[in-house]
Amino acid sequence: RYDNSPVYCNGADNIAITLANCCTPIPGDPIIGYVTKGKGISVHRADCPNIANENERLIDVYWKEGLETATYPVDIIILSSDRNDLAVDIMHAISNNHVTMRSFSAKLNAETMNVTISATIMIQNYKKLLDIFAILRGVPGVYEVSRVIH
């Protein structure tokens, strides 16, 4: 049995179910299963462009209950105007809210003096992600926070 997945599919007890790396679904996201060739079911966010044109291989899948303790990687982009201590303030905003950061990189566009920050954070669910986005938007200089789809 594949009981280690946070997602289940009715009638698919002995099929591997994995979370897609392209859109990194987290509990609370609307999701859909994609029946792969030989690798079980890949779970995508319902709005993932990588499955937008699929019709025949999609299957209903559901989040299991009681997933509050697990965390899932979410790639995010933060757009901000440049200023001193920007990266420190963003890192504090994330860590002060008990969210682990797996990666962080910042790139300055010298022409516009805007900064693009890419980060991977570990999140329990969609509500917590929305909370973190609101907190990050409150950091002085930050004007956009979004999820990445690969």
Side-chain angles (χ1 to χ4, degrees), residues 55-109:
N55 293 321
E56 306 197 353
R57 300 172 78 184
L58 298 180
I59 188 168
D60 289 335
V61 292
Y62 310 92
W63 291 110
K64 291 179 181 173
E65 298 295 320
L67 300 172
E68 292 77 22
T69 58
T71 59
Y72 304 87
V74 176
D75 295 332
I76 63 172
I77 295 285
I78 303 165
L79 303 178
S80 176
S81 49
D82 189 30
R83 65 172 177 81
N84 289 337
D85 298 325
L86 173 66
V88 172
D89 290 349
I90 288 173
M91 288 181 185
H92 276 125
I94 291 171
S95 67
N96 286 346
N97 286 281
H98 311 290
V99 172
T100 301
M101 193 176 333
R102 271 198 182 164
S103 68
F104 183 97
S105 66
K107 186 172 184 173
L108 173 67
N109 179 333

Short mmCIF file of all heavy atoms in Angstrom, two decimals, residues 55-109:
data_model
loop_
_atom_site.label_atom_id
_atom_site.label_comp_id
_atom_site.label_asym_id
_atom_site.label_seq_id
_atom_site.Cartn_x
_atom_site.Cartn_y
_atom_site.Cartn_z
N ASN A 55 -7.52 15.85 -20.85
CA ASN A 55 -8.90 15.53 -20.54
C ASN A 55 -9.05 14.07 -20.14
O ASN A 55 -9.72 13.75 -19.17
CB ASN A 55 -9.83 15.82 -21.73
CG ASN A 55 -9.89 17.31 -22.02
OD1 ASN A 55 -9.92 18.11 -21.10
ND2 ASN A 55 -9.91 17.66 -23.29
N GLU A 56 -8.41 13.19 -20.88
CA GLU A 56 -8.68 11.77 -20.74
C GLU A 56 -7.97 11.12 -19.57
O GLU A 56 -8.44 10.12 -19.07
CB GLU A 56 -8.30 11.06 -22.04
CG GLU A 56 -8.98 11.70 -23.24
CD GLU A 56 -8.99 10.83 -24.46
OE1 GLU A 56 -8.36 9.77 -24.43
OE2 GLU A 56 -9.65 11.21 -25.43
N ARG A 57 -6.86 11.68 -19.12
CA ARG A 57 -6.08 10.99 -18.09
C ARG A 57 -6.19 11.66 -16.72
O ARG A 57 -5.41 11.39 -15.83
CB ARG A 57 -4.62 10.92 -18.54
CG ARG A 57 -4.51 10.15 -19.85
CD ARG A 57 -3.16 10.21 -20.43
NE ARG A 57 -2.29 9.29 -19.74
CZ ARG A 57 -1.00 9.18 -19.97
NH1 ARG A 57 -0.44 9.93 -20.88
NH2 ARG A 57 -0.28 8.33 -19.31
N LEU A 58 -7.19 12.52 -16.57
CA LEU A 58 -7.38 13.20 -15.29
C LEU A 58 -8.32 12.39 -14.41
O LEU A 58 -9.25 11.75 -14.90
CB LEU A 58 -7.93 14.61 -15.50
CG LEU A 58 -7.01 15.54 -16.29
CD1 LEU A 58 -7.66 16.92 -16.42
CD2 LEU A 58 -5.64 15.66 -15.64
N ILE A 59 -8.06 12.43 -13.09
CA ILE A 59 -8.83 11.64 -12.14
C ILE A 59 -8.99 12.46 -10.85
O ILE A 59 -8.09 13.21 -10.49
CB ILE A 59 -8.13 10.28 -11.89
CG1 ILE A 59 -9.00 9.35 -11.07
CG2 ILE A 59 -6.76 10.47 -11.28
CD1 ILE A 59 -8.48 7.92 -11.04
N ASP A 60 -10.13 12.29 -10.19
CA ASP A 60 -10.35 13.02 -8.94
C ASP A 60 -9.47 12.45 -7.84
O ASP A 60 -9.41 11.24 -7.65
CB ASP A 60 -11.82 12.92 -8.52
CG ASP A 60 -12.74 13.74 -9.43
OD1 ASP A 60 -12.25 14.70 -10.04
OD2 ASP A 60 -13.93 13.40 -9.51
N VAL A 61 -8.83 13.36 -7.12
CA VAL A 61 -8.02 12.99 -5.96
C VAL A 61 -8.37 13.95 -4.81
O VAL A 61 -8.92 15.02 -5.05
CB VAL A 61 -6.50 13.04 -6.26
CG1 VAL A 61 -6.10 11.95 -7.24
CG2 VAL A 61 -6.09 14.40 -6.80
N TYR A 62 -8.03 13.53 -3.59
CA TYR A 62 -8.47 14.28 -2.40
C TYR A 62 -7.34 14.33 -1.37
O TYR A 62 -6.60 13.35 -1.21
CB TYR A 62 -9.70 13.61 -1.78
CG TYR A 62 -10.78 13.33 -2.78
CD1 TYR A 62 -10.84 12.10 -3.44
CD2 TYR A 62 -11.72 14.30 -3.12
CE1 TYR A 62 -11.82 11.84 -4.39
CE2 TYR A 62 -12.71 14.05 -4.07
CZ TYR A 62 -12.75 12.82 -4.70
OH TYR A 62 -13.70 12.57 -5.64
N TRP A 63 -7.26 15.44 -0.66
CA TRP A 63 -6.32 15.54 0.46
C TRP A 63 -6.81 14.68 1.60
O TRP A 63 -7.99 14.67 1.91
CB TRP A 63 -6.20 16.99 0.93
CG TRP A 63 -5.53 17.90 -0.05
CD1 TRP A 63 -6.13 18.89 -0.78
CD2 TRP A 63 -4.15 17.91 -0.42
NE1 TRP A 63 -5.20 19.50 -1.58
CE2 TRP A 63 -3.98 18.93 -1.38
CE3 TRP A 63 -3.05 17.15 -0.03
CZ2 TRP A 63 -2.74 19.21 -1.96
CZ3 TRP A 63 -1.82 17.43 -0.61
CH2 TRP A 63 -1.67 18.45 -1.56
N LYS A 64 -5.89 13.97 2.26
CA LYS A 64 -6.23 13.22 3.46
C LYS A 64 -6.42 14.19 4.62
O LYS A 64 -5.92 15.31 4.60
CB LYS A 64 -5.11 12.23 3.80
CG LYS A 64 -4.97 11.10 2.81
CD LYS A 64 -3.82 10.19 3.21
CE LYS A 64 -3.64 9.06 2.20
NZ LYS A 64 -2.42 8.27 2.48
N GLU A 65 -7.13 13.74 5.63
CA GLU A 65 -7.30 14.53 6.85
C GLU A 65 -6.06 14.39 7.73
O GLU A 65 -5.30 13.44 7.60
CB GLU A 65 -8.53 14.03 7.63
CG GLU A 65 -9.84 14.17 6.88
CD GLU A 65 -10.22 15.62 6.61
OE1 GLU A 65 -10.02 16.45 7.51
OE2 GLU A 65 -10.71 15.91 5.52
N GLY A 66 -5.86 15.35 8.63
CA GLY A 66 -4.80 15.23 9.63
C GLY A 66 -3.40 15.44 9.10
O GLY A 66 -2.46 14.78 9.54
N LEU A 67 -3.24 16.35 8.16
CA LEU A 67 -1.91 16.59 7.57
C LEU A 67 -1.19 17.77 8.21
O LEU A 67 -0.20 18.25 7.68
CB LEU A 67 -2.06 16.85 6.06
CG LEU A 67 -2.67 15.72 5.24
CD1 LEU A 67 -2.93 16.19 3.82
CD2 LEU A 67 -1.77 14.51 5.24
N GLU A 68 -1.67 18.23 9.37
CA GLU A 68 -1.19 19.49 9.93
C GLU A 68 0.30 19.50 10.27
O GLU A 68 0.92 20.54 10.33
CB GLU A 68 -1.99 19.86 11.19
CG GLU A 68 -3.44 20.21 10.93
CD GLU A 68 -4.32 18.99 10.67
OE1 GLU A 68 -3.96 17.87 11.07
OE2 GLU A 68 -5.37 19.16 10.04
N THR A 69 0.89 18.33 10.53
CA THR A 69 2.28 18.31 10.97
C THR A 69 3.29 18.27 9.83
O THR A 69 4.44 18.62 10.02
CB THR A 69 2.53 17.10 11.90
OG1 THR A 69 2.21 15.91 11.18
CG2 THR A 69 1.69 17.20 13.16
N ALA A 70 2.89 17.86 8.66
CA ALA A 70 3.82 17.77 7.53
C ALA A 70 3.99 19.13 6.86
O ALA A 70 3.11 19.99 6.95
CB ALA A 70 3.30 16.75 6.52
N THR A 71 5.14 19.32 6.21
CA THR A 71 5.36 20.53 5.42
C THR A 71 5.74 20.13 3.99
O THR A 71 6.24 19.03 3.76
CB THR A 71 6.47 21.43 6.01
OG1 THR A 71 7.69 20.69 6.07
CG2 THR A 71 6.10 21.95 7.39
N TYR A 72 5.49 21.05 3.08
CA TYR A 72 5.69 20.78 1.67
C TYR A 72 6.46 21.95 1.05
O TYR A 72 6.21 23.11 1.41
CB TYR A 72 4.33 20.62 0.96
CG TYR A 72 3.50 19.54 1.62
CD1 TYR A 72 2.67 19.85 2.69
CD2 TYR A 72 3.59 18.22 1.19
CE1 TYR A 72 1.94 18.85 3.32
CE2 TYR A 72 2.86 17.23 1.83
CZ TYR A 72 2.04 17.54 2.89
OH TYR A 72 1.33 16.57 3.52
N PRO A 73 7.37 21.67 0.10
CA PRO A 73 8.13 22.77 -0.51
C PRO A 73 7.27 23.58 -1.48
O PRO A 73 6.51 23.02 -2.26
CB PRO A 73 9.25 22.05 -1.26
CG PRO A 73 8.69 20.69 -1.56
CD PRO A 73 7.75 20.37 -0.44
N VAL A 74 7.40 24.91 -1.39
CA VAL A 74 6.71 25.81 -2.31
C VAL A 74 7.74 26.83 -2.80
O VAL A 74 8.40 27.48 -2.00
CB VAL A 74 5.53 26.54 -1.62
CG1 VAL A 74 4.90 27.55 -2.57
CG2 VAL A 74 4.49 25.55 -1.13
N ASP A 75 7.88 26.90 -4.11
CA ASP A 75 8.77 27.90 -4.71
C ASP A 75 8.01 29.20 -4.87
O ASP A 75 6.90 29.21 -5.41
CB ASP A 75 9.28 27.42 -6.07
CG ASP A 75 10.16 26.19 -5.95
OD1 ASP A 75 10.79 26.02 -4.89
OD2 ASP A 75 10.22 25.40 -6.91
N ILE A 76 8.62 30.29 -4.39
CA ILE A 76 7.97 31.59 -4.48
C ILE A 76 8.90 32.61 -5.10
O ILE A 76 10.12 32.43 -5.12
CB ILE A 76 7.49 32.10 -3.09
CG1 ILE A 76 8.66 32.32 -2.14
CG2 ILE A 76 6.47 31.13 -2.49
CD1 ILE A 76 8.28 33.01 -0.82
N ILE A 77 8.31 33.67 -5.63
CA ILE A 77 9.04 34.82 -6.17
C ILE A 77 8.54 36.06 -5.43
O ILE A 77 7.33 36.26 -5.27
CB ILE A 77 8.77 35.00 -7.69
CG1 ILE A 77 9.32 33.82 -8.48
CG2 ILE A 77 9.35 36.32 -8.20
CD1 ILE A 77 10.81 33.81 -8.65
N ILE A 78 9.49 36.87 -4.99
CA ILE A 78 9.17 38.12 -4.31
C ILE A 78 9.78 39.25 -5.14
O ILE A 78 10.98 39.23 -5.42
CB ILE A 78 9.76 38.15 -2.88
CG1 ILE A 78 9.24 36.95 -2.07
CG2 ILE A 78 9.46 39.47 -2.19
CD1 ILE A 78 10.02 36.67 -0.80
N LEU A 79 8.95 40.21 -5.54
CA LEU A 79 9.43 41.37 -6.30
C LEU A 79 9.43 42.57 -5.38
O LEU A 79 8.44 42.82 -4.67
CB LEU A 79 8.55 41.62 -7.52
CG LEU A 79 8.43 40.45 -8.50
CD1 LEU A 79 7.49 40.81 -9.65
CD2 LEU A 79 9.79 40.03 -9.03
N SER A 80 10.52 43.33 -5.39
CA SER A 80 10.65 44.44 -4.46
C SER A 80 11.54 45.52 -5.06
O SER A 80 12.35 45.25 -5.94
CB SER A 80 11.30 43.94 -3.16
OG SER A 80 11.52 45.00 -2.26
N SER A 81 11.36 46.74 -4.57
CA SER A 81 12.33 47.78 -4.89
C SER A 81 13.53 47.54 -3.98
O SER A 81 13.42 46.99 -2.89
CB SER A 81 11.72 49.17 -4.69
OG SER A 81 11.09 49.25 -3.44
N ASP A 82 14.72 47.94 -4.45
CA ASP A 82 15.94 47.68 -3.71
C ASP A 82 16.06 48.65 -2.53
O ASP A 82 15.66 49.81 -2.62
CB ASP A 82 17.16 47.84 -4.63
CG ASP A 82 18.43 47.37 -3.97
OD1 ASP A 82 18.37 46.46 -3.12
OD2 ASP A 82 19.51 47.92 -4.29
N ARG A 83 16.60 48.13 -1.43
CA ARG A 83 16.91 48.97 -0.27
C ARG A 83 17.84 48.18 0.63
O ARG A 83 17.98 46.96 0.50
CB ARG A 83 15.64 49.38 0.47
CG ARG A 83 14.88 48.22 1.10
CD ARG A 83 13.73 48.71 1.98
NE ARG A 83 12.97 47.62 2.53
CZ ARG A 83 13.31 46.91 3.60
NH1 ARG A 83 14.45 47.14 4.22
NH2 ARG A 83 12.52 45.95 4.04
N ASN A 84 18.48 48.89 1.56
CA ASN A 84 19.34 48.23 2.53
C ASN A 84 18.53 47.29 3.40
O ASN A 84 17.38 47.59 3.76
CB ASN A 84 20.04 49.26 3.42
CG ASN A 84 21.10 50.04 2.67
OD1 ASN A 84 21.62 49.59 1.65
ND2 ASN A 84 21.42 51.21 3.17
N ASP A 85 19.11 46.15 3.75
CA ASP A 85 18.53 45.16 4.66
C ASP A 85 17.26 44.48 4.14
O ASP A 85 16.53 43.86 4.91
CB ASP A 85 18.25 45.76 6.04
CG ASP A 85 19.52 46.25 6.73
OD1 ASP A 85 20.57 45.59 6.54
OD2 ASP A 85 19.46 47.27 7.43
N LEU A 86 16.98 44.59 2.85
CA LEU A 86 15.79 43.95 2.28
C LEU A 86 15.80 42.44 2.53
O LEU A 86 14.83 41.88 3.04
CB LEU A 86 15.68 44.24 0.78
CG LEU A 86 14.57 43.48 0.04
CD1 LEU A 86 13.20 43.95 0.54
CD2 LEU A 86 14.70 43.66 -1.46
N ALA A 87 16.90 41.78 2.17
CA ALA A 87 16.96 40.33 2.32
C ALA A 87 16.82 39.92 3.79
O ALA A 87 16.11 38.96 4.11
CB ALA A 87 18.27 39.79 1.74
N VAL A 88 17.46 40.67 4.68
CA VAL A 88 17.37 40.37 6.11
C VAL A 88 15.93 40.49 6.60
O VAL A 88 15.43 39.62 7.32
CB VAL A 88 18.30 41.32 6.91
CG1 VAL A 88 18.07 41.17 8.41
CG2 VAL A 88 19.75 41.06 6.56
N ASP A 89 15.24 41.54 6.18
CA ASP A 89 13.85 41.74 6.61
C ASP A 89 12.94 40.63 6.09
O ASP A 89 12.04 40.17 6.80
CB ASP A 89 13.34 43.11 6.16
CG ASP A 89 14.00 44.25 6.92
OD1 ASP A 89 14.69 43.99 7.93
OD2 ASP A 89 13.84 45.40 6.49
N ILE A 90 13.17 40.19 4.86
CA ILE A 90 12.35 39.10 4.30
C ILE A 90 12.64 37.80 5.04
O ILE A 90 11.71 37.06 5.41
CB ILE A 90 12.59 38.97 2.79
CG1 ILE A 90 11.93 40.17 2.08
CG2 ILE A 90 12.07 37.64 2.26
CD1 ILE A 90 12.22 40.27 0.62
N MET A 91 13.91 37.52 5.30
CA MET A 91 14.25 36.29 6.03
C MET A 91 13.66 36.31 7.44
O MET A 91 13.16 35.29 7.91
CB MET A 91 15.76 36.11 6.07
CG MET A 91 16.35 35.71 4.74
SD MET A 91 18.12 35.49 4.92
CE MET A 91 18.58 35.17 3.23
N HIS A 92 13.72 37.47 8.10
CA HIS A 92 13.10 37.58 9.44
C HIS A 92 11.60 37.35 9.37
O HIS A 92 11.03 36.67 10.22
CB HIS A 92 13.38 38.95 10.07
CG HIS A 92 14.70 39.03 10.75
ND1 HIS A 92 15.64 39.97 10.46
CD2 HIS A 92 15.25 38.25 11.72
CE1 HIS A 92 16.71 39.78 11.21
NE2 HIS A 92 16.50 38.74 11.98
N ALA A 93 10.93 37.93 8.38
CA ALA A 93 9.48 37.77 8.24
C ALA A 93 9.11 36.30 8.10
O ALA A 93 8.13 35.83 8.68
CB ALA A 93 8.97 38.56 7.04
N ILE A 94 9.92 35.56 7.35
CA ILE A 94 9.65 34.14 7.15
C ILE A 94 9.96 33.34 8.42
O ILE A 94 9.13 32.58 8.91
CB ILE A 94 10.43 33.61 5.93
CG1 ILE A 94 9.84 34.23 4.65
CG2 ILE A 94 10.40 32.09 5.86
CD1 ILE A 94 10.63 33.97 3.39
N SER A 95 11.15 33.54 8.99
CA SER A 95 11.54 32.73 10.15
C SER A 95 10.72 33.08 11.39
O SER A 95 10.43 32.20 12.20
CB SER A 95 13.03 32.86 10.42
OG SER A 95 13.36 34.16 10.85
N ASN A 96 10.33 34.34 11.55
CA ASN A 96 9.53 34.73 12.72
C ASN A 96 8.15 34.08 12.70
O ASN A 96 7.46 34.07 13.72
CB ASN A 96 9.36 36.26 12.79
CG ASN A 96 10.63 36.94 13.24
OD1 ASN A 96 11.55 36.31 13.75
ND2 ASN A 96 10.69 38.24 13.05
N ASN A 97 7.73 33.57 11.55
CA ASN A 97 6.43 32.90 11.43
C ASN A 97 6.58 31.39 11.35
O ASN A 97 5.69 30.70 10.85
CB ASN A 97 5.67 33.49 10.24
CG ASN A 97 5.17 34.87 10.58
OD1 ASN A 97 4.16 35.01 11.25
ND2 ASN A 97 5.89 35.90 10.16
N HIS A 98 7.71 30.89 11.83
CA HIS A 98 7.95 29.45 11.97
C HIS A 98 7.86 28.71 10.64
O HIS A 98 7.31 27.61 10.57
CB HIS A 98 7.01 28.85 13.02
CG HIS A 98 6.99 29.64 14.29
ND1 HIS A 98 8.04 29.69 15.16
CD2 HIS A 98 6.04 30.46 14.80
CE1 HIS A 98 7.75 30.49 16.17
NE2 HIS A 98 6.55 30.97 15.98
N VAL A 99 8.39 29.35 9.60
CA VAL A 99 8.45 28.71 8.29
C VAL A 99 9.92 28.49 7.96
O VAL A 99 10.74 29.40 8.10
CB VAL A 99 7.78 29.60 7.21
CG1 VAL A 99 8.01 29.03 5.82
CG2 VAL A 99 6.29 29.72 7.50
N THR A 100 10.24 27.28 7.55
CA THR A 100 11.61 26.94 7.18
C THR A 100 11.86 27.35 5.74
O THR A 100 10.99 27.19 4.88
CB THR A 100 11.84 25.42 7.34
OG1 THR A 100 11.59 25.07 8.69
CG2 THR A 100 13.26 25.03 6.96
N MET A 101 13.05 27.89 5.49
CA MET A 101 13.42 28.27 4.13
C MET A 101 14.49 27.30 3.64
O MET A 101 15.51 27.11 4.29
CB MET A 101 13.97 29.70 4.13
CG MET A 101 14.08 30.28 2.77
SD MET A 101 14.61 32.02 2.75
CE MET A 101 14.08 32.68 4.28
N ARG A 102 14.24 26.67 2.51
CA ARG A 102 15.21 25.73 1.92
C ARG A 102 16.23 26.43 1.04
O ARG A 102 17.35 26.01 0.94
CB ARG A 102 14.48 24.68 1.08
CG ARG A 102 14.06 23.48 1.84
CD ARG A 102 13.78 22.38 0.84
NE ARG A 102 13.33 21.18 1.51
CZ ARG A 102 12.73 20.20 0.88
NH1 ARG A 102 12.50 20.27 -0.40
NH2 ARG A 102 12.36 19.14 1.54
N SER A 103 15.78 27.47 0.34
CA SER A 103 16.71 28.19 -0.53
C SER A 103 16.27 29.64 -0.63
O SER A 103 15.10 29.97 -0.40
CB SER A 103 16.79 27.56 -1.92
OG SER A 103 15.57 27.74 -2.60
N PHE A 104 17.24 30.50 -0.98
CA PHE A 104 16.98 31.94 -1.08
C PHE A 104 18.02 32.52 -2.00
O PHE A 104 19.21 32.30 -1.82
CB PHE A 104 17.10 32.57 0.32
CG PHE A 104 16.78 34.05 0.35
CD1 PHE A 104 15.52 34.50 0.71
CD2 PHE A 104 17.75 34.99 0.04
CE1 PHE A 104 15.23 35.85 0.76
CE2 PHE A 104 17.47 36.34 0.08
CZ PHE A 104 16.21 36.77 0.45
N SER A 105 17.58 33.24 -3.02
CA SER A 105 18.54 33.97 -3.87
C SER A 105 17.89 35.26 -4.32
O SER A 105 16.67 35.34 -4.50
CB SER A 105 18.97 33.13 -5.07
OG SER A 105 17.88 32.92 -5.95
N ALA A 106 18.71 36.28 -4.45
CA ALA A 106 18.22 37.60 -4.84
C ALA A 106 19.04 38.10 -6.02
O ALA A 106 20.25 37.88 -6.11
CB ALA A 106 18.34 38.57 -3.67
N LYS A 107 18.35 38.78 -6.94
CA LYS A 107 19.01 39.34 -8.12
C LYS A 107 18.53 40.76 -8.33
O LYS A 107 17.32 41.01 -8.38
CB LYS A 107 18.70 38.48 -9.34
CG LYS A 107 19.46 38.90 -10.56
CD LYS A 107 19.28 37.91 -11.69
CE LYS A 107 20.15 38.33 -12.85
NZ LYS A 107 20.16 37.35 -13.91
N LEU A 108 19.47 41.68 -8.44
CA LEU A 108 19.16 43.09 -8.65
C LEU A 108 19.16 43.42 -10.13
O LEU A 108 20.08 43.04 -10.85
CB LEU A 108 20.19 43.97 -7.93
CG LEU A 108 20.09 45.48 -8.19
CD1 LEU A 108 18.81 46.04 -7.59
CD2 LEU A 108 21.31 46.19 -7.62
N ASN A 109 18.12 44.11 -10.59
CA ASN A 109 18.12 44.68 -11.93
C ASN A 109 18.63 46.12 -11.77
O ASN A 109 17.92 46.98 -11.26
CB ASN A 109 16.71 44.66 -12.51
CG ASN A 109 16.64 45.27 -13.91
OD1 ASN A 109 17.44 46.13 -14.26
ND2 ASN A 109 15.68 44.82 -14.69
#
